[in-house]
């Protein structure tokens, strides 16, 4: 009996977890696969900026580890770590979005342009950038117009500075859909409509031409040119659904009447 008791005394009631060996270094811990070890590594006081950035390249990090990292003051003072946490696919939204508000505009832009970033995070980041547009310099807006994502460039189509608006039009991510939206918007400007109506690329697109025909800010000369390229049903739809100036309506009506008269002559 006493022998058994003696043998039991060598086994503590609560042995240390095999997942958290005390002998592991921070470098070893960040290479682990066990969630508990990864969470402990994230909270480790020995975590450095370089180790954290390498750690954040792992796509298999558990959300708990990422959240623990955001509470590690030794690395959260580094902006690159903050940005990498926001961009990580596994970071919980309630963790990443508050951090994003503290990043600089072009740090946010880099996140928005990173393919692996989840769509909802990209959208939130783009929204954060567009909310700053009125408070940043012309130079920054010009850079955003040239390099920004589609939604950012689309927001800059309404910029008061012609150079910024023009740069947004040639942004490599710009699409026909967003230009049509801008032209049809109540916020469309005379400058934007005029620029698009003469643009070497966009003024050739059918849907954009239709949008321009429906906008009363489009120069009359361009209206005449675009109307010539449209079918009669399209012109009738423009007349029926648009608030156009009297001159434009008069011209489009005459254009339709002329075509109808021509068709009747051909038929006879």
């Amino acid at each position: 009996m006493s022998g058994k008791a003696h043998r039991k005394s060598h086994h503590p009631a609560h042995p240390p977890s095999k997942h958290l060996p005390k002998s592991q270094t921070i470098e070893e811990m960040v290479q682990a696969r066990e969630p508990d070890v990864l969470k402990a590594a994230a909270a480790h006081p020995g975590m450095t900026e370089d180790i954290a950035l390498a750690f954040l390249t792992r796509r298999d990090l558990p959300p708990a580890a990422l959240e623990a990292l955001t509470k590690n003051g030794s690395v959260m003072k580094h902006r690159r770590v903050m940005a990498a946490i926001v961009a990580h696919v596994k970071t919980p939204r309630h963790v990443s979005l508050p951090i994003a508000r503290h990043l600089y505009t072009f740090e946010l832009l880099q996140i928005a342009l990173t393919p692996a970033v989840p769509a909802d995070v990209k959208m939130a980041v783009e929204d954060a950038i567009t909310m700053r547009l009125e408070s940043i310099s012309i130079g920054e807006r010009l850079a955003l117009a040239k390099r920004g994502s589609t939604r950012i460039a689309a927001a800059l189509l309404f910029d008061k500075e012609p150079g910024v608006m023009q740069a947004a039009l040639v942004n490599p991510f710009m699409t026909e859909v967003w230009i049509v939206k801008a032209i049809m918007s109540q916020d469309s400007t005379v400058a934007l409509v005029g620029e698009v109506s003469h643009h070497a690329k966009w003024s050739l697109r059918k849907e954009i031409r239709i949008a321009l025909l429906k906008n009363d800010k489009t120069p009359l000369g361009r209206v005449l040119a675009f109307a010539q390229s449209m079918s009669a049903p399209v012109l009738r739809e423009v007349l029926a659904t648009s608030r156009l100036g009297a001159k434009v309506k008069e011209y489009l009506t005459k254009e339709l009447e002329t075509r109808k008269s021509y068709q009747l002559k051909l038929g006879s």
Side-chain angles (χ1 to χ4, degrees):
M1 186 74 176
S2 61
K4 289 183 180 179
H6 178 71
R7 284 194 297 273
K8 287 182 179 178
S9 66
H10 285 84
H11 300 282
H14 301 286
S17 171
K18 63 180 180 179
H19 297 308
L20 297 172
K22 294 181 179 179
S23 60
Q24 275 195 327
T25 64
I26 179 64
E27 289 81 5
E28 293 171 327
M29 292 171 71
V30 297
Q31 298 297 324
R33 302 179 71 176
E34 299 84 359
D36 287 348
V37 179
L38 294 172
K39 182 178 178 181
H44 198 289
M47 180 69 77
T48 66
E49 179 184 16
D50 288 341
I51 295 174
L53 291 172
F55 186 56
L56 288 164
T57 62
R58 291 185 55 169
R59 295 177 61 86
D60 62 340
L61 294 178
L66 289 155
E67 190 162 3
L69 189 62
T70 66
K71 298 174 183 177
N72 190 331
S74 61
V75 290
M76 286 305 290
K77 60 187 178 183
H78 299 293
R79 305 193 66 81
R80 290 197 299 164
V81 174
M82 293 169 62
I85 289 173
V86 173
H88 199 281
V89 68
K90 294 289 184 65
T91 305
R93 304 298 175 262
H94 72 274
V95 172
S96 62
L97 298 184
I99 295 173
R101 298 190 191 105
H102 299 285
L103 295 176
Y104 296 138
T105 300
F106 287 93
E107 292 171 333
L108 292 174
L109 177 61
Q110 188 59 47
I111 294 170
L113 296 177
T114 301
V117 175
D120 59 334
V121 174
K122 283 188 179 184
M123 187 170 292
V125 164
E126 289 170 340
D127 288 342
I129 292 174
T130 55
M131 288 177 66
R132 300 179 184 183
L133 293 179
E134 293 185 2
S135 61
I136 61 178
S137 69
I138 294 175
E140 288 177 305
R141 299 202 308 277
L142 183 60
L144 287 172
K146 292 177 179 179
R147 297 166 42 201
S149 63
T150 306
R151 291 180 74 238
I152 295 169
L156 288 164
L157 289 174
F158 304 103
D159 200 276
K160 295 178 181 178
E161 288 294 326
V164 174
M165 176 265 290
Q166 291 162 359
L169 281 174
V170 296
N171 178 291
F173 301 111
M174 183 56 68
T175 65
E176 179 178 333
V177 171
W178 285 96
I179 292 179
V180 169
K181 285 183 179 180
I183 294 170
M184 298 299 292
S185 168
Q186 292 182 345
D187 297 324
S188 65
T189 62
V190 172
L192 171 63
V193 173
E195 188 71 27
V196 174
S197 70
H198 289 90
H199 198 276
K201 175 182 177 180
W202 299 122
S203 67
L204 302 178
R205 304 292 180 89
K206 179 181 177 181
E207 294 303 318
I208 291 178
R209 286 189 168 195
I210 292 173
L212 287 167
L213 281 176
K214 293 181 177 182
N215 192 307
D216 59 3
K217 299 183 182 75
T218 303
L220 183 59
R222 301 307 291 159
V223 169
L224 306 184
F226 297 152
Q228 292 291 332
S229 68
M230 297 295 169
S231 66
V234 170
L235 293 181
R236 282 194 289 269
E237 190 269 338
V238 169
L239 278 170
T241 61
S242 309
R243 296 179 179 178
L244 299 172
K247 287 185 179 180
V248 174
K249 283 187 175 182
E250 182 182 356
Y251 172 78
L252 293 181
T253 301
K254 286 183 178 179
E255 174 67 20
L256 286 169
E257 290 174 351
T258 300
R259 292 187 189 185
K260 185 177 181 180
S261 176
Y262 180 72
Q263 291 294 328
L264 290 172
K265 287 181 180 179
L266 287 177
S268 61

